Amino acid sequence: MSNHRVRNMEEFAAMSGLSRPTVSKYFHNPESVRPSTRKRIEDALTKYDYRPNVFAMNQNRKLTRNVGIVVPYLADPVFGEFARTIELRCVAAGYSPTVFSAHGDADHEVAVLESLRALKPAGVLMAPLGRGSDHRAVEKFCADVPTVLFDSELRDLGAAFVGADNPQFTRLMVDYLCRTGPPPCFFEMKTPANPNAGKRSKSYVQTMERLGHTPEIIQAAGTGWGFEEIGYKEGLRAFEAGAFTSDTILCSNDRLAIGLLTAAYEKGLRVGRGDDCAIRIAGQDDHPFSRFTCPPLTTIAQDFEAISQQACELLVAVIEGADLPHEKRFIEGRLVMRESA
């Protein structure tokens, strides 16, 4: 036994050569750390005759029922659906969720994270802005608060990531469109707000080339999260300029496709699969309003329930002290065939 008196958990962790979070996990649940780590901690407990302040630990743990849910743009019904399903999962698991929106702004996203710090949440489920995020700020937050990212990933930040398999979405749709009619051209934003757009564009090119077709990409000008307006205005320009090289148009997401449907209507172009139709239009995501467009939009459905469930389960496991390796889970989409294509 050492004669040095260890005064607190931080000092014990330093003397043991381990991180403070690892030592804390052990005291909350010894089975949550690896056997070799557990033995190392127990040997150090014997050596330094250290006993944690259990009362203080329990007081801190009383603050661990709050969970933050952060989305990039709550006015987007896709993220509204994510917020709804995740909130219900958190409540079912016994936690009190609060939903925050970054409103498409990096500075506001950082401000949300600072507000969450003040709430001392047990953990956070976050869909970051992506390329627009302040990576250092998010990284620092993830180091301090158990965080699971969903929808868009940032390097290896957070305890885990759960999101859609975006390349699979586009492969599935391109395969379908090529089987049932002219190969599609691809309509996307030149500077997309959502980081998943690049993965879809790349998958479109790869799939078209694999099928022996020439990829054709039409890029819409415009920035921000007003996708429907961009799809409408840039769709009109593209129709007038004859930019669409195919009678089949695959949009990067459903919101662009909804705007393009309106542009086609204004140009007198009938959309659909019938002999009297001029073009086919398809999207991706299964936006909550996509089945109510005219005509209803063919798309790839995100599995909101699976993504929400797995993200929540991973976060609860981390909160409860599980020593999980960082992992990424990609959930496949499902083809939804409607009248537009």
Side-chain angles (χ1 to χ4, degrees):
M1 183 183 299
S2 171
N3 292 326
H4 179 81
R5 179 175 174 79
V6 178
R7 293 169 294 182
N8 53 48
M9 197 179 299
E10 286 77 7
E11 188 175 339
F12 175 74
M15 297 291 290
S16 306
L18 296 164
S19 70
R20 168 66 170 76
T22 297
V23 172
S24 178
K25 280 185 180 181
Y26 169 85
F27 286 124
H28 286 155
N29 178 11
E31 299 299 321
S32 68
V33 300
R34 296 184 179 90
S36 58
T37 303
R38 186 162 63 246
K39 183 178 186 306
R40 188 172 172 182
I41 292 173
E42 291 169 352
D43 288 345
L45 287 171
T46 301
K47 179 178 179 180
Y48 298 113
D49 192 28
Y50 172 67
R51 295 294 180 269
N53 185 334
V54 175
F55 175 76
M57 288 172 58
N58 287 337
Q59 284 294 100
N60 288 335
R61 292 184 73 185
K62 288 180 181 177
L63 302 174
T64 62
R65 307 314 292 178
N66 295 327
V67 168
I69 302 170
V70 183
V71 297
Y73 196 71
L74 194 54
D76 185 326
V78 169
F79 291 114
E81 183 65 11
F82 270 128
R84 183 188 72 82
T85 53
I86 289 175
E87 184 177 16
L88 292 174
R89 292 282 179 185
C90 289
V91 171
Y95 289 87
S96 299
T98 304
V99 178
F100 298 84
S101 173
H103 301 298
D105 180 76
D107 290 338
H108 196 84
E109 184 175 69
V110 172
V112 165
L113 297 182
E114 291 305 313
S115 296
L116 277 166
R117 286 182 188 276
L119 293 176
K120 298 182 180 179
V124 169
L125 290 147
M126 180 181 185
L129 289 171
R131 65 173 59 87
S133 295
D134 183 333
H135 286 225
R136 288 187 178 181
V138 176
E139 183 175 20
K140 188 175 187 304
F141 182 84
C142 291
D144 296 337
V145 179
T147 303
V148 170
L149 302 186
F150 68 96
D151 186 66
S152 59
E153 54 182 317
L154 293 176
R155 296 195 302 271
D156 292 322
L157 300 189
F161 168 77
V162 183
D165 186 344
N166 288 285
Q168 181 264 347
F169 275 35
T170 309
R171 284 197 306 271
L172 187 60
M173 183 59 83
V174 172
D175 281 338
Y176 165 73
L177 293 174
C178 288
R179 287 197 315 270
T180 56
C185 55
F186 192 74
F187 185 50
E188 66 174 3
M189 289 174 62
K190 185 175 183 180
T191 53
N194 192 312
N196 295 326
K199 297 176 182 177
R200 294 178 178 182
S201 180
K202 183 177 180 180
S203 180
Y204 163 76
V205 171
Q206 292 174 341
T207 306
M208 288 286 284
E209 291 177 344
R210 173 175 60 80
L211 295 174
H213 304 299
T214 302
E216 297 287 348
I217 297 178
I218 297 88
Q219 294 187 318
T223 59
W225 291 81
F227 301 161
E228 292 89 354
E229 184 175 4
I230 291 170
Y232 165 65
K233 289 183 176 179
E234 292 299 302
L236 280 177
R237 288 196 183 98
F239 283 132
E240 290 166 359
F244 292 118
T245 55
S246 171
D247 293 337
T248 302
I249 305 168
L250 171 58
C251 298
S252 181
N253 61 63
D254 284 355
R255 292 183 60 196
L256 275 179
I258 289 170
L260 186 62
L261 284 172
T262 303
Y265 174 79
E266 288 200 7
K267 299 303 292 183
L269 298 170
R270 188 176 178 87
V271 178
R273 297 179 294 177
D275 292 338
D276 59 340
C277 295
I279 58 172
R280 296 187 300 166
I281 294 176
Q284 300 178 78
D285 285 328
D286 200 21
H287 183 292
F289 302 157
S290 62
R291 68 189 180 100
F292 300 113
T293 59
C294 186
L297 185 64
T298 291
T299 185
I300 301 293
Q302 291 219 42
D303 194 336
F304 293 105
E305 291 291 341
I307 293 172
S308 300
Q309 178 181 348
Q310 294 189 35
C312 288
E313 288 176 351
L314 285 167
L315 182 64
V316 169
V318 173
I319 290 171
E320 294 181 350
D323 190 16
L324 301 176
H326 181 87
E327 65 173 308
K328 300 178 183 180
R329 298 184 183 179
F330 297 98
I331 310 301
E332 291 190 347
R334 173 177 55 87
L335 177 65
V336 178
M337 294 175 287
R338 300 191 180 110
E339 291 305 310
S340 75

